């Protein structure tokens, strides 16, 4: 048997996870293995939660993980359980409720590594691995009949080959923050839970690291900082590192280093037929192009080589300014003015939220300026907002890059990262604030809260990142098509009730789309949306670019690497 058959990803033991690695005896799975409660104990590890789908796929014979005959468990034997075989997910309804082989647990146990884990719904810990940031299964949460937790690339490969043989639809997950409505169309399929892919190895020159596909920002940022390093990561610490990057990857440092996608030097990908390949600018370069911006359409990324940078500007300074709603037009005219010549070291954020202590019916506006530098240099960036005589101004505060999560309340333990009974993000990208459109959008946001108090925890995040390093990357060099968009909006419509899910879902969708559409204003002719903030009502052009050549190339690559649309549960490209 080929040596490549035994290729496993190595792990670093110095990373702490949300579910820390323990001896098998400390897990319920170890006990239920003995009592025969429908679960096979192979191993456990974990971490946590927002835009973390790792799906990426294709059909190629290059660099296969396995050569020679397939293991018995994944050789095809015709049966009624394979009634979905050869289903084309590009043209058919995505996933009826799936009939799984009754021997699926023992089949997979036989072929996967001893450190992998296979869970069935009868497992006491099954739901622990199905939790998503939005828990509502009616709109944007899949349901599973089996969960496979691979410990290596080989495990991912064999799992996908088994799923293909038995026509089982599957979804690879890490952060589980995506709120795309098509996710709920996976019913009773397979989850490939990738958070055990936690490799972290640093290049000798310190300029890059090989990082496992299951790592979150919270796993990586402190380790890098301890080495005097940093790189572009998502703003939320609970988000996976790789998931956002596959859709572009915005972050605090993008003005200096580029998007998350721009940091990927190479990646290993398990394709739709279960083979594993390396992608880079010199190997499988067409797939590498697609991976950076539309990556969830083409396979499962098990690890990537990611750029690192010396933290030469370790200090961040920030200040927040609170305004009542009657100041909206003034506030966003100032935002537009300061963003015309935005420094690569500055990020301008704004949010809307209801604070009854300030105004019981009208959400407030909070503008925060983050400057990567000392307080002595930051005053000029704060001054335009201070000049508006805000209702409230926070003291000037300083932190470091790891501390930004606490400053923005995006730590794993903060409200923004905690699971919601129902949550959907309605996103959009624009070049500047359309002030008249924002007023209409704000009014709709306010009216939603007045009409349906259960939605009063909803927020609007208006993110103004700098673009210098983003636009320094040639526009045609990756699948990410929104390099000229300065502003990223995320209208988060959320609720905590559970008794009225279906009713609140309908209300959330009605208001979310109204709030988003109003914000575009009357001048935008081609609507755009960051794919990681997409809801499901957006066009392919809005997510992946309006150029004909870009659309055709993506469709051609989808036909080449995923002709049957196995990776079609999130913002799918139709071949």
């Amino acid at each position: 048997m080929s040596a490549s058959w035994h290729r496993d990803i190595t792990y670093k033991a110095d990373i702490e996870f949300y579910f820390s690695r323990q001896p098998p005896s400390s897990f319920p799975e170890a006990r239920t293995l003995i009592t025969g409660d429908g679960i096979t104990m192979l191993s456990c590890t974990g971490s946590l939660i927002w835009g973390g789908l790792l799906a990426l796929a294709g059909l190629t014979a290059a660099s296969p993980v396995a050569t020679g005959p397939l293991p018995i468990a994944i050789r095809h034997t015709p049966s009624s359980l394979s009634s979905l075989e050869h289903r084309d997910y590009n043209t058919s309804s995505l996933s009826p409720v799936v009939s799984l082989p009754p021997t699926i647990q023992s089949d997979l146990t036989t072929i996967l590594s001893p450190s992998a884990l296979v869970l069935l719904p009868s497992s006491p810990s099954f739901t622990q691995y199905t939790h998503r940031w939005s828990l509502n299964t009616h709109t944007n949460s899949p349901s599973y009949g089996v969960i496979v937790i691979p410990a290596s690339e080989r495990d991912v490969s064999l799992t996908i080959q088994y799923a293909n043989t038995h026509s089982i639809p599957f979804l690879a997950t890490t952060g589980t923050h995506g709120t795309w409505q098509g996710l709920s169309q996976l019913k009773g399929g397979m989850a490939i839970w990738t958070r055990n892919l936690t490799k972290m190895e640093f290049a000798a020159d310190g300029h890059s690291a090989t990082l496992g596909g299951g790592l979150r920002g919270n796993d990586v940022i402190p380790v890098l900082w301890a080495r005097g390093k940093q790189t572009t990561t998502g703003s939320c610490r609970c988000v996976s590192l790789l998931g956002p990057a596959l859709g572009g990857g915005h972050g605090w440092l993008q003005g200096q280093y580029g998007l998350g996608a721009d940091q990927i030097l190479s990646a290993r990908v398990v394709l739709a037929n279960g083979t594993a390949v390396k992608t880079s600018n010199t190997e499988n370069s067409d797939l590498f192009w697609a991976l950076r911006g539309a990556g969830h359409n083409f396979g499962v990324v098990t690890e990537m080589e990611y750029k690192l940078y010396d933290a030469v500007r370790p200090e961040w300074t920030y200040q927040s300014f609170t305004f009542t709603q009657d100041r909206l037009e003034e506030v966003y005219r100032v935002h537009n003015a300061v963003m015309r010549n935005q420094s690569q070291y500055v990020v301008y954020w704004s949010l809307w939220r209801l604070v009854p202590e300030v105004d019981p019916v009208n959400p407030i506006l909070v503008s925060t300026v983050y400057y990567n530098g000392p307080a002595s240099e930051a005053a000029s960036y704060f001054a335009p907002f201070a000049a508006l005589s805000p209702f409230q101004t926070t003291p000037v505060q300083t932190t470091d890059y790891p501390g930004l999560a606490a400053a923005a309340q995006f730590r794993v333990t903060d409200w923004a990262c905690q699971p919601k009974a129902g949550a959907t993000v309605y996103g959009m990208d624009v070049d500047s604030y359309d002030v008249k459109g924002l007023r209409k959008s704000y009014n709709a946001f306010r009216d939603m809260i007045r009409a349906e108090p259960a939605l009063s925890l909803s927020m609007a995040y208006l993110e103004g990142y700098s673009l210098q390093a983003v636009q320094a990357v040639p526009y045609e060099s990756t699948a990410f098509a929104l390099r000229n968009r300065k502003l990223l909006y995320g209208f988060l419509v959320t609720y905590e009730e559970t008794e009225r899910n279906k009713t609140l879902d309908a209300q959330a969708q009605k208001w979310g789309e109204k709030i988003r559409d109003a914000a575009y204003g009357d001048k935008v002719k081609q609507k755009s949306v960051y794919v990681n903030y997409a809801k499901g009502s957006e066009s392919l052009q809005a997510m992946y670019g309006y150029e004909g050549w870009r659309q055709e190339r993506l469709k051609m690559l989808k036909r080449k690497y995923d002709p049957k649309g196995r990776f079609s549960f999130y913002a799918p490209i139709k071949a």
Side-chain angles (χ1 to χ4, degrees):
M1 194 171 290
S2 168
S4 64
W5 184 261
H6 299 284
R7 183 184 182 276
D8 285 351
I9 294 178
T10 58
Y11 299 90
K12 291 293 183 182
D14 58 348
I15 304 172
E16 182 177 345
F17 302 100
Y18 185 74
F19 304 111
S20 59
R21 188 178 294 274
Q22 300 289 341
S25 60
S26 66
F27 286 94
E29 288 78 9
R31 295 191 292 273
T32 54
L33 173 64
I34 298 171
T35 61
D37 193 37
I39 179 169
T40 302
M41 176 60 197
L42 304 176
S43 83
C44 278
T45 306
S47 52
L48 190 63
I49 323 179
W50 170 299
L53 297 173
L54 297 185
L56 188 57
L59 297 174
T60 173
S63 303
V65 168
T67 59
L70 295 177
I72 295 222
I74 56 176
R75 294 179 193 164
H76 177 62
T77 52
S79 74
S80 59
L81 294 173
S82 296
S83 60
L84 301 181
E85 186 185 7
H86 306 311
R87 173 178 291 276
D88 187 338
Y89 288 85
N90 287 307
T91 58
S92 58
S93 60
L94 288 180
S95 174
V97 176
V98 178
S99 294
L100 300 176
T103 57
I104 187 170
Q105 192 173 69
S106 60
D107 291 346
L108 288 169
T109 302
T110 300
I111 63 175
L112 299 182
S113 67
S115 298
L117 181 67
V118 180
L119 303 177
L120 296 179
S122 55
S123 163
S125 63
F126 185 84
T127 57
Q128 169 181 307
Y129 297 95
T130 62
H131 282 169
R132 296 184 61 81
W133 180 65
S134 176
L135 303 177
N136 190 352
T137 58
H138 298 296
T139 55
N140 49 35
S141 289
S143 65
Y144 305 115
V146 62
I147 298 170
V148 179
I149 305 176
S152 67
E153 182 177 274
R154 172 182 177 269
D155 289 339
V156 176
S157 173
L158 294 176
T159 298
I160 289 178
Q161 291 177 46
Y162 182 92
N164 289 341
T165 298
H166 296 278
S167 300
I168 302 169
F170 56 84
L171 180 70
T173 67
T174 297
T176 70
H177 284 84
T179 61
W180 178 267
Q181 62 189 13
L183 290 169
S184 61
Q185 295 188 50
L186 177 60
K187 297 178 173 65
M190 174 188 287
I192 303 175
W193 198 86
T194 65
R195 293 185 203 163
N196 280 9
L197 304 182
T198 54
K199 181 177 184 178
M200 191 181 296
E201 293 183 351
F202 294 88
D205 62 9
H207 297 322
S208 66
T210 300
L211 304 174
L215 292 167
R216 294 176 303 157
N218 201 51
D219 303 319
V220 176
I221 292 170
V223 176
L224 296 186
W225 195 254
R227 290 172 168 263
K229 298 291 183 178
Q230 61 185 13
T231 191
T232 302
T233 63
S235 303
C236 283
R237 291 285 284 272
C238 51
V239 177
S240 72
L241 181 68
L242 177 60
L246 294 181
H250 290 290
W252 307 103
L253 292 169
Q254 69 174 50
Q256 300 175 55
Y257 306 138
L259 299 165
D262 302 330
Q263 313 314 314
I264 303 175
L265 296 168
S266 67
R268 288 196 62 83
V269 185
V270 178
L271 305 172
N273 63 351
T275 61
V277 298
K278 183 178 180 181
T279 67
S280 68
N281 278 324
T282 58
E283 298 177 77
N284 299 297
S285 59
D286 58 349
L287 181 61
F288 189 60
W289 178 89
L291 183 155
R292 294 166 297 156
H296 48 277
N297 274 280
F298 296 97
V300 180
V301 177
T302 58
E303 65 181 55
M304 59 181 174
E305 185 184 3
Y306 208 75
K307 295 179 185 177
L308 304 180
Y309 305 88
D310 293 331
V312 295
R313 298 173 67 95
E315 192 171 18
W316 283 79
T317 307
Y318 62 97
Q319 188 172 27
S320 295
F321 308 88
T322 300
F323 302 91
T324 50
Q325 63 84 25
D326 57 302
R327 309 295 302 282
L328 182 146
E329 285 77 7
E330 297 173 84
V331 170
Y332 288 102
R333 278 195 285 268
V334 168
H335 271 280
N336 277 336
V338 298
M339 291 182 68
R340 290 193 188 104
N341 296 297
Q342 184 171 349
S343 165
Q344 63 182 321
Y345 302 114
V346 177
V347 175
Y348 296 104
W349 269 39
S350 179
L351 67 83
W352 307 339
R353 61 178 177 135
L354 185 66
V355 180
E357 296 81 3
V358 176
D359 190 324
V361 293
N362 298 301
I364 61 170
L365 320 173
V366 181
S367 294
T368 303
V369 182
Y370 299 92
Y371 174 67
N372 186 197
S376 59
E377 299 174 2
S380 62
Y381 299 106
F382 302 151
F385 296 94
L388 293 176
S389 300
F391 172 80
Q392 185 180 62
T393 302
T394 64
V396 174
Q397 299 177 76
T398 58
T399 188
D400 53 20
Y401 185 68
L404 285 175
Q409 298 183 14
F410 284 157
R411 293 168 296 185
V412 168
T413 55
D414 287 327
W415 178 87
C417 276
Q418 293 305 299
K420 311 290 184 288
T424 301
V425 177
Y426 295 83
M428 53 181 282
D429 289 57
V430 291
D431 297 327
S432 62
Y433 289 111
D434 185 301
V435 176
K436 290 183 179 179
L438 273 189
R439 168 54 71 183
K440 293 178 181 178
S441 179
Y442 174 89
N443 288 347
F445 185 77
R446 176 202 62 201
D447 294 345
M448 173 188 72
I449 293 173
R450 292 179 179 178
E452 185 49 84
L455 302 177
S456 63
L457 292 177
S458 300
M459 292 189 184
Y461 294 96
L462 313 179
E463 308 169 25
Y465 298 105
S466 47
L467 295 179
Q468 285 86 338
V470 176
Q471 294 187 334
V473 175
Y475 180 66
E476 300 82 5
S477 64
T478 72
F480 184 75
L482 304 179
R483 292 185 182 275
N484 59 342
R485 299 291 192 271
K486 293 181 179 179
L487 290 164
L488 169 63
Y489 295 3
F491 297 107
L492 169 60
V493 182
T494 185
Y495 59 83
E496 297 300 335
E497 287 190 32
T498 57
E499 289 77 14
R500 295 194 299 134
N501 271 8
K502 290 185 178 180
T503 300
L504 290 174
D505 288 342
Q507 290 294 312
Q509 180 168 340
K510 179 187 78 171
W511 286 108
E513 292 183 353
K514 184 175 182 179
I515 293 164
R516 177 197 62 198
D517 293 346
Y520 278 112
D522 299 326
K523 298 178 182 178
V524 175
K525 303 303 180 184
Q526 294 182 337
K527 296 180 178 180
S528 299
V529 59
Y530 179 43
V531 69
N532 293 334
Y533 281 15
K535 160 71 167 66
S537 57
E538 303 87 352
S539 69
L540 290 177
Q541 289 84 357
M543 295 183 289
Y544 300 121
Y546 284 84
E547 303 90 341
W549 68 266
R550 189 179 290 275
Q551 289 288 320
E552 286 305 311
R553 187 175 187 186
L554 285 171
K555 290 177 182 178
M556 180 271 291
L557 292 172
K558 188 70 170 177
R559 289 191 294 269
K560 177 180 178 180
Y561 288 108
D562 189 17
K564 294 188 180 297
R566 296 290 278 165
F567 295 90
S568 293
F569 291 104
Y570 191 94
I573 296 164
K574 297 295 185 181

